Amino acid sequence: MARLSLETLRSIRRNSSLHYEQTTRGTMRVFPRDGRMSKFVQMCRGMQEWGVKFDVLDREQILEKEPCLSDVIDRYTGAMFFPDDESGDAHKFTNEMARLATALGAQFLMNTNVLEIVRRSKSRISHVKTSEGDVHADAYVLSLGSYSPILARPLGIHLPIVPVKGYSVTLPLNGWKGGPTRPVMDDGYHAMMVPMGDRLRMGGKAEFARYNTKIDPKEGRRVLDDILKILPSMAANVDVDSALNWSGLRPMTPGGPPIVGLTSYENLFLNTGHGPLGWTMSCGSAKIIADLATHGRVLTNSVDPADYVL
Ligand SMILES: Cc1cc2nc3c(=O)[nH]c(=O)nc-3n(C[C@H](O)[C@H](O)[C@H](O)COP(=O)(O)OP(=O)(O)OC[C@H]3O[C@@H](n4cnc5c(N)ncnc54)[C@H](O)[C@@H]3O)c2cc1C
């Protein structure tokens, strides 16, 4: 699904101009000296048959790619480099996609709550009730992330999705160039840092807090503190108190794969449960739904749709 998403994203990019502070320089995952790296390398070897490319790097090669890790390089046993990986600002990307869709005739009903999905029969949806009135359509796609089970349950669809809260912290760098040039994941701290133009975005934490998305500044600070252990010189050069905290819910399924495809209602599709990789898998999931809704079947051989049905 991730490969299909990357191919689909690249084809959208070829056909339109999209600006979302993207980097296409690959990503790096660095491993502390605790023996976990060899297991991860083994797992990735198993994924090579699906086109996952990677290089194993020693400490010298890590520094060639990311000199900013020189202060802490002795912590690491090595790294894995994924040349095909990309990154960007998901919020900007989403707005860009909305702009393209609007130009093609799509209409977005903002600040509108879906209150109920109303069925006409055991096999057909009639309409959705919203805070702004009823909406009728030929087809419906349920894509409410962690909130999907709430509206699916009255239809007899039980989605095994649990919200897992995470934090993202974005720090303006004000011209400081001492950070990474591509996304770097530290496997020891489970912390991710992603350069975005003149900002550094950091992510981490996994909390079972039900639907509580309240931002606790202490938790945001913990994410930042982990990154400062990796980039100690940042504290002296950047105003770390200017960091902006955000929290969100990852819609987790028990096994990991998302739930994408048909339901027992002929005009209702599911596109949900993407856990920690919702953007990574978004364009591929959307392609599958578009194929199903317009052609009645999935047109690509890249994925087996049976792997993603409920
Ligand atoms: C800290 C953090 C970092 C992450 N980093 C990455 C990353 O690097 N790469 C990656 O691929 N993924 C990442 N993710 C995961 C990604 O954010 C999710 O997988 C993705 O947001 C799921 O998308 P979605 O559209 O299915 O659900 P959501 O993004 O949760 O969107 C669901 C939407 O439905 C709306 N909604 C809910 N109920 C109703 C209703 N009744 N009526 C109307 N609207 C409703 C909600 O308001 C929300 O806007 C991260 C998540 C977190 C928390």
Side-chain angles (χ1 to χ4, degrees), residues 112-114 144-145 147 151 166-167 246 248 250-251 275-280:
T112 303
N113 265 333
V114 178
L144 301 174
Y147 302 85
L151 281 167
Y167 276 81
W246 173 83
R250 305 176 184 97
L277 293 173
W279 189 16
T280 310

Side-chain angles (χ1 to χ4, degrees), residues 1-24 84-90 92-94 96-97 100 278-288:
M1 184 69 95
R3 293 292 312 175
L4 174 63
S5 287
L6 188 58
E7 284 159 22
T8 310
L9 169 64
R10 285 179 176 165
S11 104
I12 297 171
R13 241 185 358 228
R14 270 195 301 276
N15 297 317
S16 44
S17 68
L18 283 178
H19 303 285
Y20 52 97
E21 304 203 49
Q22 62 264 44
T23 64
T24 52
D84 282 345
D85 280 4
E86 301 186 356
S87 70
D89 184 326
K92 286 190 177 158
F93 176 79
T94 310
E96 284 281 271
M97 293 305 286
L100 294 182
W279 189 16
T280 310
M281 297 193 279
S282 61
C283 293
S285 307
K287 170 137 184 46
I288 287 176

Side-chain angles (χ1 to χ4, degrees), residues 120-125 138-140 261-269 292-293 296:
R120 176 181 300 159
S121 65
K122 273 190 184 156
S123 60
R124 219 171 152 78
I125 300 302
D138 298 327
Y140 302 82
L262 303 165
T263 66
S264 54
Y265 297 87
E266 60 199 15
N267 59 345
L268 177 67
F269 304 91
L292 286 171

Side-chain angles (χ1 to χ4, degrees), residues 38-272:
S38 56
K39 273 195 192 147
F40 198 82
V41 172
Q42 214 177 339
M43 185 183 84
C44 290
R45 289 218 166 98
M47 294 199 283
Q48 279 173 317
E49 64 173 297
W50 291 301
V52 174
K53 289 189 204 135
F54 63 88
D55 296 317
V56 174
L57 308 183
D58 60 23
R59 285 191 282 273
E60 205 173 306
Q61 290 164 317
I62 294 176
L63 289 181
E64 271 165 30
K65 289 210 181 303
E66 293 300 341
C68 68
L69 298 175
S70 59
D71 286 336
V72 290
I73 191 68
D74 290 338
R75 267 189 65 228
Y76 301 124
T77 189
M80 293 183 73
F81 174 62
F82 299 89
D84 282 345
D85 280 4
E86 301 186 356
S87 70
D89 184 326
H91 183 235
K92 286 190 177 158
F93 176 79
T94 310
N95 281 331
E96 284 281 271
M97 293 305 286
R99 176 178 64 80
L100 294 182
T102 304
L104 291 170
Q107 203 188 339
F108 293 88
L109 308 180
M110 308 308 283
N111 302 314
T112 303
N113 265 333
V114 178
L115 306 174
E116 186 188 348
I117 304 170
V118 183
R119 57 182 148 189
R120 176 181 300 159
S121 65
K122 273 190 184 156
S123 60
R124 219 171 152 78
I125 300 302
S126 146
H127 62 279
V128 290
K129 263 191 200 164
T130 83
S131 52
E132 308 301 312
D134 292 352
V135 175
H136 293 259
D138 298 327
Y140 302 82
V141 183
L142 182 73
S143 56
L144 301 174
S146 298
Y147 302 85
S148 303
I150 299 168
L151 281 167
R153 204 172 300 125
L155 300 171
I157 300 172
H158 296 278
L159 296 172
I161 294 173
V162 169
V164 174
K165 186 176 180 181
Y167 276 81
S168 138
V169 179
T170 305
L171 183 64
L173 298 176
N174 294 323
W176 183 64
K177 299 268 184 250
T181 61
R182 57 174 60 75
V184 174
M185 163 91 185
D186 185 302
D187 199 70
Y189 293 121
H190 295 286
M192 183 85 189
M193 46 185 173
V194 184
M196 278 178 195
D198 196 29
R199 298 174 300 156
L200 186 68
R201 179 159 292 169
M202 299 150 269
K205 309 234 19 115
E207 225 180 82
F208 289 102
R210 297 183 60 79
Y211 290 93
N212 174 1
T213 53
K214 202 165 160 251
I215 295 170
D216 178 348
K218 285 200 293 294
E219 297 297 336
R221 183 67 207 206
R222 278 191 193 126
V223 172
L224 181 58
D225 284 345
D226 281 344
I227 299 296
L228 287 172
K229 288 178 204 148
I230 306 164
L231 293 179
S233 63
M234 192 162 76
N237 290 287
V238 175
D239 175 13
V240 292
D241 292 331
S242 64
L244 292 175
N245 293 331
W246 173 83
S247 83
L249 303 176
R250 305 176 184 97
M252 303 293 287
T253 59
I259 301 165
V260 179
L262 303 165
T263 66
S264 54
Y265 297 87
E266 60 199 15
N267 59 345
L268 177 67
F269 304 91
L270 300 173
N271 188 7
T272 186

